[in-house]
Amino acid sequence: MDPARAAALLDFLALADRLKTVERRGLVPLPGGGARRENSAEHCWNLALIAVLLHREVAAEIDLGHALSLIAVHDLVEIEAGDTYAYDPAGRATQAERETAAAAIVFGALPVDLGRTLRALWEEFEAGATPEARFAMGCDRMQGFLQNVLSDGAAWRAHGVTRADTAPRMDPAMAVDPAFATLIGALYGRARAGGMLPE
């Protein structure tokens, strides 16, 4: 490998490491009580694990390697754009513009060929036009919902999120495949039973 390319890859990995500092609204319960905010790198790891567990549970033939590539790249723009809370209408209104600008910075830090490859993966995830992108989106939405259930709905309560507020986000995930509908439906049942998500 060319020394300049090696240096660029190492510099990009240092940049990507900053994803560990991007906090999400979801809370991670701590042993012994209390909670802390989840970061975007933890979210991506948990999402990857969900994909590994579910890729053979869905009807579509999923290329797991490709789906994991989409998952690894999908939130890198948050290094520059920050995380946008799913239930923040003002943040969602500017999300696409902020993340597109961030993509130019983040993927532009790579050698041109790799920058194009990673940007194409990010765009594929955002467009949701392939089976792997739809599967990855379903895993992504399920992970966020699961994190809220694991933390007894604390972030939902803090932001006044209701069952109806979650529908525009979760209905498309449930529509990806009956396996997602079953799992997310079970999470809704737990949220209802625990009084976490008001109707």
Side-chain angles (χ1 to χ4, degrees):
M1 178 182 293
D2 177 286
R5 186 174 178 86
L9 291 177
L10 292 173
D11 289 346
F12 180 78
L13 289 171
L15 172 67
D17 193 65
R18 288 174 40 202
L19 195 62
K20 297 172 185 174
T21 69
V22 177
E23 288 189 333
R24 295 167 52 87
R25 300 289 173 92
L27 299 173
V28 177
L30 299 172
R36 64 166 177 79
R37 286 175 70 172
E38 178 188 39
N39 69 54
S40 287
E42 292 170 321
H43 159 71
C44 289
W45 162 79
N46 202 195
L47 173 50
L49 181 60
I50 290 169
V52 169
L53 294 173
L54 295 187
H55 80 282
R56 291 197 174 127
E57 301 293 330
V58 297
E61 283 288 323
I62 298 299
D63 178 336
L64 180 60
H66 188 67
L68 290 173
S69 295
L70 294 169
I71 288 165
V73 168
H74 88 287
D75 274 346
L76 286 175
V77 296
E78 293 183 2
I79 293 165
E80 293 293 331
D83 179 62
T84 302
Y85 185 50
Y87 305 108
D88 172 11
R92 303 243 339 136
T94 63
Q95 182 178 8
E97 180 182 339
R98 287 182 292 106
E99 290 188 351
T100 299
I105 295 167
V106 173
F107 303 128
L110 280 162
V112 174
D113 62 319
L114 288 174
R116 284 186 186 137
T117 297
L118 267 62
R119 177 144 191 169
L121 288 167
W122 174 73
E123 290 173 350
E124 180 183 346
F125 179 91
E126 291 298 311
T130 63
E132 286 78 13
R134 287 188 292 276
F135 172 75
M137 176 276 293
C139 294
D140 181 48
R141 303 280 173 92
M142 186 179 130
Q143 191 280 334
F145 200 90
L146 171 65
Q147 197 63 50
N148 275 292
V149 171
L150 293 175
S151 60
D152 294 321
W156 284 333
R157 281 195 294 278
H159 296 94
V161 176
T162 66
R163 168 67 174 85
D165 294 328
T166 67
R169 187 156 182 83
M170 301 313 298
D171 289 354
M174 294 176 80
V176 168
D177 187 90
F180 284 106
T182 298
L183 290 163
I184 294 168
L187 288 171
Y188 268 120
R190 292 180 184 191
R192 190 178 307 108
M196 303 172 200
L197 197 57
E199 294 293 330

